[in-house]
Amino acid sequence: AQTVTQSQPEMSVQEAETVTLSCTYDTSESDYYLFWYKQPPSRQMILVIRQEAYKQQNATENRFSVNFQKAAKSFSLKISDSQLGDAAMYFCAYKEGHNDMRFGAGTRLTVKP
Amino acid sequence: DVKVTQSSRYLVKRTGEKVFLECVQDMDHENMFWYRQDPGLGLRLIYFSYDVKMKEKGDIPEGYSVSREKKERFSLILESASTNQTSMYLCASSLGHQETQYFGPGTRLLVL
């Protein structure tokens, strides 16, 4: 089964600075989807950004962008101009075809004022 | 906006009780999922459903069952709750197989 690894259990960033969260995955497929989800404390998990593997261009959503390295099976999330509201658990996820979505263990991001 | 709701935010049950967790989505999504979330383990799939009255086992179905009598509602049942089922339970739905999953707020279950 495909596995997703987030090697950073916790990260911290100063407000207004930039932080990068790491994610690697294991697959033999060429067509799949990758996601970053955000789970604020005691709040609903929401989608941050999504990347289709067949697209070479990295996805971007406002201050959030990804660095998708298909050959290296790496999918990192960059948060620019960090805000206090960015503090949350971030989960990387992989989905291929009809198979289950696979999640990493999560990275807890703290934003320091 | 997609809305996924779960019947309870917090639940305390005793060992051996039968527990029902309800999930409702309002966007006519075909697919619905139940996960449990534990620290350091991420989200693990318990069961999912791609259609009414249809269910498939996920990674950790033991001790759980599900019911999907209507498209918008997906219930998770703990037939006889045990302390190792203390966890956060998340429901999700999606329109298609490749589509983004939308999550409910979660139910934090404590089994004493």
Side-chain angles (χ1 to χ4, degrees):
Chain A
Q2 290 83 2
T3 57
V4 179
T5 302
Q6 293 179 247
S7 58
Q8 307 151 318
E10 296 184 352
M11 291 283 284
S12 67
V13 62
Q14 205 71 35
E15 195 175 5
E17 298 289 306
T18 295
V19 65
T20 298
L21 308 184
S22 301
C23 174
T24 59
Y25 56 94
D26 178 32
T27 185
S28 58
E29 302 296 330
S30 60
D31 191 16
Y32 49 87
Y33 293 78
L34 295 162
F35 306 82
W36 277 101
Y37 281 92
K38 170 186 177 182
Q39 186 181 40
S42 301
R43 291 180 60 190
Q44 210 141 340
M45 188 174 304
I46 58 172
L47 178 71
V48 175
I49 203 163
R50 164 193 163 115
Q51 174 84 41
E52 291 88 350
Y54 65 85
K55 290 186 179 178
Q56 292 187 343
Q57 187 171 5
N58 289 325
T60 299
E61 287 289 341
N62 301 316
R63 298 182 294 105
F64 297 86
S65 61
V66 297
N67 183 6
F68 173 46
Q69 301 288 331
K70 193 171 184 179
K73 298 176 186 176
S74 171
F75 183 61
S76 59
L77 175 69
K78 185 171 86 171
I79 307 173
S80 304
D81 185 26
S82 297
Q83 301 176 358
L84 295 178
D86 295 334
M89 280 291 289
Y90 287 82
F91 291 95
C92 178
Y94 165 101
K95 177 100 172 57
E96 177 268 316
H98 291 252
N99 291 333
D100 305 339
M101 185 173 284
R102 296 288 171 179
F103 290 83
T107 296
R108 182 176 302 280
L109 178 67
T110 302
V111 181
K112 298 177 180 178
Chain B
D1 281 349
V2 176
K3 191 166 185 181
V4 181
T5 57
Q6 295 183 228
S7 50
S8 305
R9 290 301 302 270
Y10 301 95
L11 213 50
V12 180
K13 295 292 181 181
R14 298 234 173 247
T15 301
E17 280 192 78
K18 191 168 186 176
V19 182
F20 293 88
L21 303 182
E22 302 284 336
C23 175
V24 178
Q25 50 93 4
D26 67 356
M27 284 301 292
D28 202 34
H29 282 178
E30 301 292 332
N31 310 307
M32 296 189 75
F33 309 85
W34 274 107
Y35 295 92
R36 65 177 281 176
Q37 180 183 0
D38 300 288
L41 296 178
L43 278 70
R44 293 179 292 166
L45 184 65
I46 304 171
Y47 268 97
F48 60 98
S49 170
Y50 287 141
D51 202 352
V52 175
K53 296 191 184 294
M54 178 272 183
K55 59 186 178 183
E56 293 286 342
K57 293 180 180 179
D59 292 327
I60 51 166
E62 296 77 20
Y64 304 94
S65 62
V66 291
S67 172
R68 193 167 181 199
E69 296 296 319
K70 294 184 179 181
K71 190 175 185 179
E72 68 271 17
R73 187 180 299 270
F74 192 36
S75 303
L76 179 69
I77 304 153
L78 286 65
E79 295 290 342
S80 177
S82 63
T83 54
N84 63 12
Q85 292 178 309
T86 291
S87 187
M88 168 72 90
Y89 290 89
L90 297 177
C91 175
S93 72
S94 70
L95 183 59
H97 292 297
Q98 304 292 4
E99 298 297 318
T100 298
Q101 291 186 17
Y102 295 87
F103 285 84
T107 296
R108 191 169 291 281
L109 173 67
L110 172 62
V111 182
L112 299 174

